[in-house]
Amino acid sequence: GENVEQHPSTLSVQEGDSAVIKCTYSDSASNYFPWYKQELGKGPQLIIDIRSNVGEKKDQRIAVTLNKTAKHFSLHITETQPEDSAVYFCAASPSSGSARQLTFGSGTQLTVLP
Amino acid sequence: EAGVTQFPSHSVIEKGQTVTLRCDPISGHDNLYWYRRVMGKEIKFLLHFVKESKQDESGMPNNRFLAERTGGTYSTLKVQPAELEDSGVYFCASRGYSGTRNTGELFFGEGSRLTVL
């Protein structure tokens, strides 16, 4: 089955700096890669996703890149703000319609220091 | 519009006791999922309901776990008897259904933290 590795497990950055979280996956059949943000006391929330026919996707200060050959994808947050502090999870799936087949990474605790 | 709600937010029980977690999905969402995150590890799939039917329960750890969704509305997840390794955060998520494909965003609840002593 699919295995998703996520690094780092914790990340601290100064406000205004960039943060990068990296994930690798094992199943070449995976073609859907969502990222979830879990704020304290809340459930994970989808913040951005990318499909395998695209190498990069951007939404304001967040962007995701995908390298299918190397089987890795990354989340980039620019101009970080304190409200970006949260746990971020990457995930991989062979289909955007299959929540059962979503395999999650172990999470990254991001702390943005003011 | 109310999101996915879960109850209780935190439950502390002793080994051997029973706990029942409840999830109310977003109104109209046919698809309901249970996941679990053991401390510091990945979020893992437990099972999937489509309306009141179990579509996939391959992620359930063992027969001490029982999930129900009577009437296709809210769902319960019962752990009986609870063991130490059952401790973790149990998330419920729901998603709408369109045509012949599951489409749309997966919405998570805040989770129910279970601590087994």
Side-chain angles (χ1 to χ4, degrees), chain A:
Chain A
E2 175 68 281
N3 182 48
V4 175
E5 298 282 342
Q6 182 171 347
H7 299 281
S9 56
T10 60
L11 177 62
S12 292
V13 299
Q14 288 295 137
E15 182 176 358
D17 286 351
S18 295
V20 180
I21 302 170
K22 299 182 179 182
C23 290
T24 60
Y25 63 98
S26 60
D27 189 351
S28 57
S30 290
N31 59 16
Y32 174 64
F33 307 92
W35 285 88
Y36 292 84
K37 174 184 181 183
Q38 185 185 6
E39 296 177 275
L40 195 61
K42 297 185 179 181
Q45 181 177 10
L46 179 70
I47 54 171
I48 194 167
D49 57 15
I50 190 168
R51 288 170 173 77
S52 59
N53 56 346
V54 175
E56 183 175 359
K57 184 176 178 180
K58 194 171 182 180
D59 182 3
Q60 300 181 349
R61 295 186 298 106
I62 60 173
V64 58
T65 59
L66 171 65
N67 183 327
K68 283 219 74 177
T69 303
K71 295 196 187 73
H72 65 71
F73 56 112
S74 301
L75 178 72
H76 304 250
I77 306 174
T78 58
E79 300 172 28
T80 54
Q81 300 168 3
E83 53 264 37
D84 294 329
S85 295
V87 179
Y88 291 80
F89 293 95
C90 63
S93 169
S95 165
S96 62
S98 175
R100 182 272 174 266
Q101 291 175 300
L102 267 178
T103 301
F104 288 86
S106 54
T108 296
Q109 173 69 62
L110 172 65
T111 303
V112 179
L113 305 169

Side-chain angles (χ1 to χ4, degrees), chain A residues 43-44 96-97 99-100 104-106, chain B residues 35 37 42 45 56 58 95 108-109:
Chain A
S96 62
R100 182 272 174 266
F104 288 86
S106 54
Chain B
Y35 294 87
R37 187 184 189 213
E42 69 273 23
F45 167 85
D56 183 348
S58 60
R95 176 153 70 180
F108 281 86

Side-chain angles (χ1 to χ4, degrees), chain B residues 52-72:
Chain B
E52 68 275 8
S53 299
K54 291 177 185 174
Q55 185 78 7
D56 183 348
E57 53 183 330
S58 60
M60 295 285 263
N62 50 61
N63 59 9
R64 295 185 294 103
F65 289 74
L66 175 64
E68 294 180 322
R69 193 183 181 194
T70 307

Side-chain angles (χ1 to χ4, degrees), chain B residues 9-70:
Chain B
S9 57
H10 191 187
S11 180
V12 181
I13 61 173
E14 293 189 348
K15 175 182 171 181
Q17 290 186 320
T18 298
V19 64
T20 300
L21 310 177
R22 172 171 169 146
C23 169
D24 286 76
I26 291 173
S27 178
H29 279 192
D30 289 339
N31 292 277
L32 186 150
Y33 306 84
W34 283 98
Y35 294 87
R36 177 173 73 174
R37 187 184 189 213
V38 173
M39 186 168 63
K41 301 207 171 180
E42 69 273 23
I43 298 171
K44 283 196 171 181
F45 167 85
L46 296 179
L47 87 158
H48 170 207
F49 282 100
V50 176
K51 296 185 181 179
E52 68 275 8
S53 299
K54 291 177 185 174
Q55 185 78 7
D56 183 348
E57 53 183 330
S58 60
M60 295 285 263
N62 50 61
N63 59 9
R64 295 185 294 103
F65 289 74
L66 175 64
E68 294 180 322
R69 193 183 181 194
T70 307

